[in-house]
């Protein structure tokens, strides 16, 4: 069987199985060049439960199937970069394994299987930039973009208000006759949504729990203050330096008087107690150098 | 530290982090200033290489309302060097549709910066807008109050 016949046979089989779900582009010579298929997770025909999808493009070089085809994943919906990267890796392995054999159907099945396993958007809501947690109510638009209902409701409300305000400014003959049409924040496709249902949705969990993020900010401040303290301690000789340890015993008596006047950088009361520790040590270093010294030698 | 942040501040906080960690080429944010006041950022932008603005640097000011991201940010060029461009007025106001009518909450500071870099980069001739003198004299301080008429997609 010639190469072209083998390809033809594979494509005929694909068309028979996938029917309208596949499109094949032929070049001027009548050879198949490009195979395209939009792949959804298998959800037993429950289309509204398909939360993710991706378009697979397979370019067939002349020597295919004796060499690997060129594959591309286009328009991933609900999949983040790491998921797509993972898919690419699996595709590469599969292509390697199937050199010399028809691989397109295998690739489609591989991707479908992956999508079925992770049929929950791994991307973030484009409006609040937070992810989707279990229990969050979210909307998948017809254009396969994902939003927390809470965020989408706000978008639609603001847009509708703007639309009505604009209409009010126009002379009657210029006003729109079709009324307000909600659009997707990402691609501006018209979307249909149940406004009242959206508006009753609770804010997304991750957005509410975003306090975690604040802690890191606080930690940053803490870090800065610690740095200040460290520098202060260092300048006052409060940091243990193995080599300088011997001399320090002598130095301390001199700085004793300074302590009462200079309590060191003040700490605001809102800071967590962790911060007390180094300061405490620092004071100890100066006041009770003997104790500090023994503490150090115990380590 | 404030205990409760509004959703717009939370989102800005996230945007700031990603802009600090992974900024578009030639774009950098004054992180300390933005951290002090999340609702006003200064962004430094360098003219892209191979364009009329190569070697120049500009400053952009972003002001956010508490309705952000549902309400677009107020973006103007500030500082001593305002780019000479058919869509940039000499007072720093920018005629760019995504800053008003075409704003979407899915856009971001990063997206706006990219749009502005691209707008500058596609310029073939450094020229002020034809109505610059009149506009600068009569406009509101806030460019969002201007009713822009977007007609030229080429630049």
């Amino acid at each position: 069987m010639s190469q072209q016949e083998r390809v033809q046979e594979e494509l005929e089989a694909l068309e028979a199985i996938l029917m309208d779900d596949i499109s094949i582009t032929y070049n001027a010579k009548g050879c198949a060049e490009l195979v395209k298929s939009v792949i959804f997770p298998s959800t037993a025909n429950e289309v509204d439960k398909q939360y993710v999808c991706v378009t697979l493009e397979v370019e067939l070089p002349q020597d295919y199937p004796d060499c690997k085809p060129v594959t591309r994943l286009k328009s991933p919906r609900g999949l983040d970069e790491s998921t797509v990267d993972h898919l690419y890796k699996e595709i590469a392995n599969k292509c390697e394994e199937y050199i010399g054999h028809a691989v397109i159907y295998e690739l489609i099945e591989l991707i479908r299987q992956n999508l079925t396993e992770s049929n929950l958007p791994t991307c973030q809501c484009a409006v609040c930039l937070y992810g989707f947690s279990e229990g969050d109510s979210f909307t998948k638009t017809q254009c396969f973009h994902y939003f927390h209902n809470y965020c989408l409701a706000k978008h639609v409300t603001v847009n509708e208000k703007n639309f009505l305000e604009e209409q009010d400014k126009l002379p009657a003959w210029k006003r729109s006759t079709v009324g307000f049409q909600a659009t997707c924040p990402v691609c501006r496709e018209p979307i249909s949504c149940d406004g009242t249902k959206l508006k009753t949705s609770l804010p997304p969990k991750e957005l509410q729990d975003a306090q975690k993020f604040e802690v890191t900010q606080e930690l940053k401040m803490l870090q800065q203050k610690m740095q200040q303290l460290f520098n202060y301690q260092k300048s006052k000789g409060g940091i243990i330096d193995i080599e300088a340890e011997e001399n320090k015993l002598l130095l301390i008596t001199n700085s004793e008087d300074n302590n009462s006047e200079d309590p060191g950088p003040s700490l605001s009361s809102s800071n967590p107690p962790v911060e007390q520790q180094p300061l405490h040590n620092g004071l100890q270093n100066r006041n009770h150098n003997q104790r500090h010294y023994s503490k150090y030698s115990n380590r | 530290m404030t205990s409760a942040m509004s959703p717009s501040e939370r989102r800005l906080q996230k945007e700031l982090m990603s802009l600090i960690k992974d900024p578009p080429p030639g774009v950098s944010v004054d992180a300390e200033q933005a951290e002090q006041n999340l609702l006003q950022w200064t962004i430094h932008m360098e003219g892209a290489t191979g364009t009329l603005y190569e070697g120049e640097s500009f400053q952009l000011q972003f002001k956010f309302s508490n309705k952000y991201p549902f309400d677009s940010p107020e973006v103007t060029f500030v500082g001593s060097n305002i780019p000479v461009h058919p869509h940039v007025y000499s007072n720093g106001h920018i005629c760019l549709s995504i800053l008003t009518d075409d704003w979407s909450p899915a856009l971001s500071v990063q997206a706006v910066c990219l749009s502005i870099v691209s707008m500058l980069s596609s310029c073939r001739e450094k020229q002020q807008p034809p109505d610059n003198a009149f506009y600068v004299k009569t406009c509101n301080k806030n460019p969002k109050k201007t009713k822009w008429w977007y007609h030229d997609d080429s630049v």
Side-chain angles (χ1 to χ4, degrees):
Chain A
M1 217 185 334
S2 82
Q3 225 157 37
Q4 208 177 331
E5 278 168 353
R6 281 157 71 195
V7 174
Q8 205 47 47
E9 195 174 80
E10 178 180 5
L11 295 181
E12 272 167 22
L14 280 177
E15 278 181 317
I17 303 168
L18 299 165
M19 299 197 280
D20 291 342
D21 291 342
I22 194 160
S23 78
I24 303 169
T25 319
Y26 294 90
N27 65 10
K29 283 188 230 145
C31 298
E33 257 183 340
L34 188 70
V35 180
K36 246 197 232 182
S37 179
V38 183
I39 306 170
F40 298 95
S42 354
T43 50
N45 287 334
E46 286 187 80
V47 177
D48 53 337
K49 292 219 174 110
Q50 293 172 338
Y51 295 122
V52 292
C53 76
V54 69
T55 306
L56 172 71
E57 279 188 14
V58 185
E59 211 178 281
L60 303 175
Q62 274 200 333
D63 294 337
Y64 178 81
D66 291 327
C67 71
K68 283 184 277 181
V70 182
T71 51
R72 279 183 297 264
L73 295 173
K74 291 257 174 92
S75 321
R77 293 291 178 260
L79 305 169
D80 65 357
E81 270 177 42
S82 67
T83 315
V84 175
D85 285 347
H86 175 74
L87 273 177
Y88 266 120
K89 258 181 225 147
E90 295 215 354
I91 288 171
N93 291 342
K94 191 61 94 178
C95 286
E96 196 72 47
E97 194 186 321
Y98 274 76
I99 288 181
H101 302 277
V103 72
I104 304 175
Y105 187 73
E106 296 296 327
L107 291 181
I108 292 176
E109 274 307 297
L110 171 83
I111 295 169
R112 194 193 309 284
Q113 212 177 342
N114 263 286
L115 295 188
T116 309
E117 278 164 23
S118 55
N119 187 17
L120 229 200
T122 49
C123 58
Q124 294 156 339
C125 166
V127 173
C128 67
L129 304 183
Y130 286 89
F132 298 94
S133 339
E134 209 142 327
D136 279 350
S137 52
F138 66 91
T139 297
K140 183 201 82 179
T141 62
Q142 294 94 312
C143 42
F144 273 85
H145 294 113
Y146 307 85
F147 308 98
H148 296 113
N149 284 353
Y150 176 82
C151 303
L152 189 60
K154 277 189 158 179
H155 165 70
V156 174
T157 316
V158 170
N159 264 12
E160 188 166 14
K161 199 175 136 246
N162 286 348
F163 175 81
L164 295 176
E165 276 174 12
E166 286 299 308
Q167 290 295 307
D168 264 356
K169 287 181 209 157
L170 294 176
W173 57 275
K174 258 189 163 179
R175 281 182 200 162
S176 156
T177 49
V178 280
F180 173 69
Q181 168 68 59
T183 54
C184 170
V186 173
C187 64
R188 304 178 205 274
E189 282 285 312
I191 51 173
S192 59
C193 53
D194 179 358
T196 43
K197 193 187 126 202
L198 288 182
K199 273 170 212 161
T200 53
S201 312
L202 294 170
K205 225 184 247 158
E206 269 193 47
L207 183 66
Q208 274 189 312
D209 295 347
Q211 304 291 15
K212 262 187 259 156
F213 201 75
E214 253 186 278
V215 177
T216 44
Q217 277 308 97
E218 256 171 56
L219 272 177
K220 253 181 142 183
M221 299 271 291
L222 195 78
Q223 253 181 337
Q224 260 175 24
K225 281 200 176 141
M226 294 289 248
Q227 185 63 40
Q228 270 174 19
L229 265 177
F230 177 79
N231 291 339
Y232 177 78
Q233 284 183 303
K234 208 164 144 189
S235 69
K236 296 282 179 183
I239 302 299
I240 310 156
D241 180 351
I242 301 169
E243 281 170 41
E245 195 62 30
E246 294 295 309
N247 302 334
K248 217 174 91 183
L249 286 172
L250 294 171
L251 278 174
I252 304 305
T253 26
N254 291 341
S255 63
E256 195 113 309
D257 292 341
N258 294 343
N259 274 330
S260 49
E261 296 155 18
D262 180 8
S266 64
L267 294 160
S268 59
S269 54
S270 67
N271 286 313
V274 211
E275 210 170 322
Q276 303 286 340
Q277 200 56 41
L279 179 66
H280 203 58
N281 274 344
L283 288 173
Q284 273 183 351
N285 289 343
R286 289 189 293 270
N287 292 343
H288 312 288
N289 54 65
Q290 202 54 50
R291 194 179 144 202
H292 177 217
Y293 186 73
S294 61
K295 214 175 160 189
Y296 165 66
S297 52
N298 282 346
R299 274 189 208 163
Chain B
M1 295 291 301
T2 49
S3 55
M5 276 202 293
S6 65
S8 54
E9 281 175 312
R10 284 189 190 138
R11 164 152 167 167
L12 283 167
Q13 183 99 268
K14 266 213 143 176
E15 281 199 54
L16 182 61
M17 278 297 153
S18 75
L19 199 61
I20 292 170
K21 276 191 208 148
D22 184 24
V27 171
S28 69
V29 58
D30 185 336
E32 271 179 25
Q33 188 207 12
E35 239 160 343
Q36 295 285 320
N37 178 7
L38 270 175
L39 299 180
Q40 181 165 336
W41 302 10
T42 305
I43 285 180
H44 302 271
M45 179 178 278
E46 274 161 34
T49 45
T51 71
L52 293 181
Y53 302 91
E54 182 173 347
E56 286 187 71
S57 62
F58 310 105
Q59 269 186 25
L60 281 167
Q61 178 182 265
F62 279 69
K63 280 187 185 170
F64 307 93
S65 74
N66 58 5
K67 286 194 201 121
Y68 183 80
F70 303 102
D71 182 27
S72 64
E74 181 191 324
V75 184
T76 47
F77 278 104
V78 290
S80 51
N81 193 21
I82 308 279
V84 178
H85 184 281
H87 295 171
V88 181
Y89 289 87
S90 57
N91 60 354
H93 287 196
I94 307 164
C95 176
L96 183 64
S97 67
I98 59 163
L99 295 179
T100 52
D101 298 6
D102 286 345
W103 171 257
S104 150
L107 290 169
S108 59
V109 175
Q110 184 160 344
V112 169
C113 287
L114 274 178
S115 278
I116 293 176
V117 171
S118 132
M119 181 187 89
L120 292 180
S121 299
S122 52
C123 179
R124 299 265 178 84
E125 193 185 354
K126 281 193 186 181
Q127 225 171 18
Q128 279 186 340
D131 57 338
N132 185 61
F134 177 73
Y135 176 77
V136 170
K137 251 186 265 166
T138 56
C139 71
N140 188 292
K141 237 175 89 185
N142 182 351
K144 287 177 70 181
K145 297 268 194 305
T146 302
K147 180 72 198 147
W148 297 100
W149 184 43
Y150 305 108
H151 61 285
D152 176 15
D153 289 336
S154 66
V155 186

